[in-house]
Amino acid sequence: MLPSKHIENVDHLIENAKITLDYCIRNFGKYPFKSINFTEISSFTKGFAATAYPSAIFMPEDMVFHANIHADKEQDVINELAGHELSHLWWGNSQIDPDDREGSVMLTETVAMYTEMMLYKKMHGKEKMMDRIKMHQQIYDNEKGLSENQPIYRVSGDNPHIAYSKGAVAMVKLSELLGEEKVNMALKNFLLNNQYPKKPTSLDLLKEFYKVSPNDSTKKEIDRLFKMI
């Protein structure tokens, strides 16, 4: 395959990959592969945003490689897609094999959204990150009346506004409740304790959050965030 001529954002993409790898390795554990490959998909591919496979991340040309990232100073689409998708090499099927029942997307998309938000905070500051969280709250509020409402720990892939947007809001609130360091410790322990062939569920992740919680009041707040509508 010939190399892409869309090289405008390669430097920014590489820098984002370095920051993402540094954050995830330092907080969640080693990167499981020897290389990372970012592959351009035609923008004529309808209904495709991005996806991650072992050591390979596929993203559309018009959203990353050939996007005008300077047009909107308030939005960093490279972080939103590349950072998010690269984090799936931790929060996907590469290191864990989630039980494919209710709540499985909390172990993939919700935690990837958290990682995306922490990277955004690292790159652009907390205030900018909180602006993103307000946007995700609005997305959830706009969508929640259009389909069955579910608590995050039982969310299915049919409700991305819950797994992604409400999940991002809840995870950031969790980081404010426990502290980012404790949340990351719980996430790292979740990976260590649920390696293949185990089939973890969202309840296994909640157990790790409980373990780093200082008291019963905090555990009740965790239940409010993830178990209630």
Side-chain angles (χ1 to χ4, degrees), residues 190-226:
F190 170 76
L191 286 178
L192 289 172
N193 294 332
N194 291 281
Q195 295 290 316
Y196 181 84
K198 289 185 177 181
K199 302 281 286 185
T201 70
S202 55
L203 292 175
D204 293 306
L205 179 54
L206 289 178
K207 287 177 185 177
E208 297 297 340
F209 292 155
Y210 297 150
K211 288 178 184 177
V212 298
S213 301
N215 50 52
D216 289 340
S217 176
T218 307
K219 292 177 183 177
K220 289 179 181 178
E221 186 63 19
I222 292 172
D223 284 345
R224 190 189 69 79
L225 289 172
F226 296 100

Side-chain angles (χ1 to χ4, degrees), residues 26-79:
R26 190 157 37 84
N27 289 287
F28 309 137
K30 67 179 182 179
Y31 179 71
F33 305 104
K34 293 182 178 179
S35 63
I36 305 168
N37 299 282
F38 292 96
T39 303
E40 180 182 80
I41 299 295
S42 169
S43 58
F44 291 104
T45 305
K46 299 299 182 183
F48 181 85
T51 191
Y53 291 97
S55 79
I57 295 169
F58 296 82
M59 297 178 293
E61 58 183 316
D62 60 337
M63 295 181 72
V64 176
F65 296 95
H66 198 41
N68 182 5
I69 62 174
H70 305 291
D72 185 354
K73 299 297 184 182
E74 300 300 315
Q75 188 172 8
D76 184 353
V77 71
I78 301 294
N79 175 68

Side-chain angles (χ1 to χ4, degrees), residues 92-93 96-108 153-156 190 194 196-204:
N93 294 325
I96 55 173
D97 185 21
D99 190 315
D100 192 21
R101 289 185 287 183
E102 289 181 330
S104 63
V105 285
M106 178 181 168
L107 306 181
T108 56
Y153 89 111
R154 293 182 58 190
V155 69
S156 68
F190 170 76
N194 291 281
Y196 181 84
K198 289 185 177 181
K199 302 281 286 185
T201 70
S202 55
L203 292 175
D204 293 306

Side-chain angles (χ1 to χ4, degrees), residues 89-117:
L89 277 301
W90 284 264
W91 313 120
N93 294 325
S94 294
Q95 299 201 43
I96 55 173
D97 185 21
D99 190 315
D100 192 21
R101 289 185 287 183
E102 289 181 330
S104 63
V105 285
M106 178 181 168
L107 306 181
T108 56
E109 298 302 345
T110 297
V111 187
M113 286 300 299
Y114 164 76
T115 309
E116 177 187 325
M117 292 302 108

Side-chain angles (χ1 to χ4, degrees), residues 141-161:
D141 289 340
N142 291 339
E143 295 287 333
K144 65 182 180 182
L146 303 177
S147 61
E148 178 189 2
N149 211 349
Q150 298 173 305
I152 297 170
Y153 89 111
R154 293 182 58 190
V155 69
S156 68
D158 295 329
N159 288 319
H161 63 288

